[in-house]
Amino acid sequence: MTTSTDTHADTAAADPIPGAPLLWMRGDRAALGPFTRELAELYWQWENEPTVIAGMGRQTPESLEARLTGYDAQARSMGTIPRFTIYDLTRDGGPVPVGTSALRIDHYVRTAEFIILLGADGRGRGLATEATRLTLDYAFTISALRSVWLKVLAPNTGAITAYEKAGFCHAGRLRRAGYWHGAETDELIMDAVADDHLATS
């Protein structure tokens, strides 16, 4: 169970430790903090790992110059796409940034698409499920959304398992809608609704 709301209040009230990252939502193993320009090159490194490129259904990497330009556009769109840095709380020496999550909000219908990315150093550590739950906590308790949905390539079984553990349910399938390591594959749609999530938080 994630205790992000109470811990978030405690964190906000405490005096910040010089040099420590700002954490908005905190669980036992993972936390969410702001999306910052200081970490833009790290975001670029994660986004261009071959495993991440395959998981996102892309075929080509992106240059650092294009990514830094893209960061400026992302920073201007925070009102519709809140973005977060995911931190690993299990490491010695303090929170370590390991990935990002985002909510692509449709304000007209109060729903959002969920997007998450973990670099190689953050995978296989049980962080994806908790970071997903924390982002859903934000979506339903801070942004007051009604539902959150995502798309995931069918062969990406590790991600699907993490989403299921975080509370997402299967909602549909788009046939032959993406590519996985060069081969056509189906894309699954999953969703989480506020009533279900808040009842288990």
Side-chain angles (χ1 to χ4, degrees):
M1 177 173 158
T2 301
T3 57
S4 58
T5 303
D6 292 341
T7 309
H8 170 62
D10 294 342
T11 302
D15 292 333
I17 300 172
L22 175 62
L23 302 179
W24 287 335
M25 308 286 281
R26 180 190 286 265
D28 294 327
R29 301 179 59 82
L32 302 182
F35 195 75
T36 69
R37 172 172 273 282
E38 289 75 15
L39 295 176
E41 187 166 345
L42 190 55
Y43 302 151
W44 169 76
Q45 292 174 18
W46 297 330
E47 291 161 0
N48 287 284
E49 292 175 8
T51 299
V52 173
I53 290 176
M56 294 292 183
R58 293 163 43 210
Q59 288 82 45
T60 58
E62 181 181 40
S63 70
L64 177 58
E65 292 76 10
R67 183 64 185 86
L68 294 177
T69 300
Y71 173 84
D72 294 333
Q74 289 174 335
R76 291 191 296 270
S77 68
M78 290 293 185
T80 53
I81 311 177
R83 301 174 190 274
F84 311 95
T85 301
I86 299 168
Y87 288 88
D88 182 352
L89 302 181
T90 69
R91 310 295 181 91
D92 293 334
V96 175
V98 293
T100 63
S101 66
L103 294 164
R104 193 185 307 271
I105 297 175
D106 184 335
H107 287 286
Y108 291 103
V109 293
R110 307 304 305 154
T111 66
E113 179 183 6
F114 171 71
I115 303 163
I116 188 171
L117 178 155
L118 287 179
D121 202 35
R123 295 194 288 273
R125 303 175 61 84
L127 303 175
T129 294
E130 189 164 60
T132 298
R133 286 194 188 119
L134 290 168
T135 309
L136 288 176
D137 285 348
Y138 193 97
F140 296 133
T141 64
I142 305 300
S143 293
L145 300 180
R146 295 187 302 118
S147 70
V148 176
W149 59 276
L150 62 84
K151 293 191 292 185
V152 57
L153 296 174
N156 196 352
T157 55
I160 293 167
T161 298
Y163 299 146
E164 291 171 339
K165 289 180 179 178
F168 276 93
C169 297
H170 291 265
R173 177 183 293 263
L174 300 173
R175 292 174 293 174
R176 300 173 64 183
Y179 286 92
W180 178 261
H181 297 288
E184 288 184 352
T185 187
D186 293 353
E187 196 165 38
L188 306 182
I189 300 173
M190 304 177 72
D191 69 356
V193 297
D195 290 347
D196 290 347
H197 181 81
L198 295 174
T200 59
S201 295

